[in-house]
Amino acid sequence: MTFQELQPKISKIIAGNESNRDEKLLAVCQLLNENVEYYNWVGFYFANHDAKTLHLGPYVGAETDHTVIPFGKGICGQVAESNANFVVPDVKAQDNYIACSLTVKSEIVVPLFVNGVNIGQIDIDSHVIDPFTEADERFLEFVNQEVAKLF
């Protein structure tokens, strides 16, 4: 399914009245995981700005030990500080990468803003080297704009 085909499905999940926020976030993760071949782990992390940590929210994919990530640590922690998208074509080339699984080859993290504040991010791991393009970035920015409506 193309990103263009997925967009209205994302909007429908977010606008639905039949589920709570975490259920909607999980449904978004499932939709992406099932319909984008190289999205092998899809999840949300949310910021605790007082503690300067990220906390794992709903996700789909292999279990992770990384339920709390300090700001600045790993790709997710760097995005918490930079407020910018971070595309990692090959995780082995990153010094500040937190390995989740030997099968993960690349990662993309896009911050989630609500009223101009970075409250978290969507994090996607792939078992493929260098699959992410600018189209992924724009699509995930759209996803996060929709998800921001839940806050």
Side-chain angles (χ1 to χ4, degrees):
M1 197 173 291
T2 68
F3 292 146
Q4 193 171 5
E5 292 168 321
L6 287 170
Q7 284 182 341
K9 294 180 183 305
I10 296 289
S11 298
K12 185 177 179 185
I13 290 169
I14 299 303
N17 292 325
E18 62 284 342
S19 53
N20 67 34
R21 181 167 57 200
D22 279 355
E23 290 168 340
K24 290 177 181 184
L25 292 173
L26 183 60
V28 167
C29 293
Q30 289 168 330
L31 181 72
L32 299 183
N33 180 256
E34 292 167 6
N35 290 285
V36 183
E37 185 180 345
Y38 53 93
Y39 285 14
N40 303 116
W41 190 98
V42 180
F44 289 93
Y45 281 92
F46 293 98
N48 177 327
H49 289 282
D50 294 333
K52 296 205 176 303
T53 52
L54 293 166
H55 297 264
L56 182 62
Y59 73 95
V60 172
E63 252 187 79
T64 179
D65 293 334
H66 304 117
T67 58
V68 179
I69 299 173
F71 283 14
K73 181 92 171 133
I75 307 309
C76 291
Q78 290 176 73
V79 169
E81 291 185 330
S82 72
N83 297 322
N85 298 352
F86 199 151
V87 179
V88 182
D90 181 356
V91 296
K92 289 182 180 170
Q94 280 295 316
D95 291 338
N96 191 5
Y97 173 70
I98 303 172
C100 295
S101 162
L102 295 174
T103 57
V104 175
K105 305 287 188 228
S106 57
E107 182 174 13
I108 184 170
V109 180
V110 176
L112 170 61
F113 295 98
V114 174
N115 298 322
V117 176
N118 181 350
I119 67 153
Q121 53 205 225
I122 190 167
D123 177 21
I124 298 177
D125 293 342
S126 179
H127 298 164
V128 179
I129 287 189
D130 199 16
F132 304 114
T133 67
E134 189 175 324
D136 291 276
E137 288 189 74
R138 298 298 83 79
F139 172 66
L140 294 172
E141 288 167 355
F142 167 82
V143 170
N144 279 353
Q145 287 169 358
E146 290 296 296
V147 166
K149 296 173 182 176
L150 299 174
F151 293 86

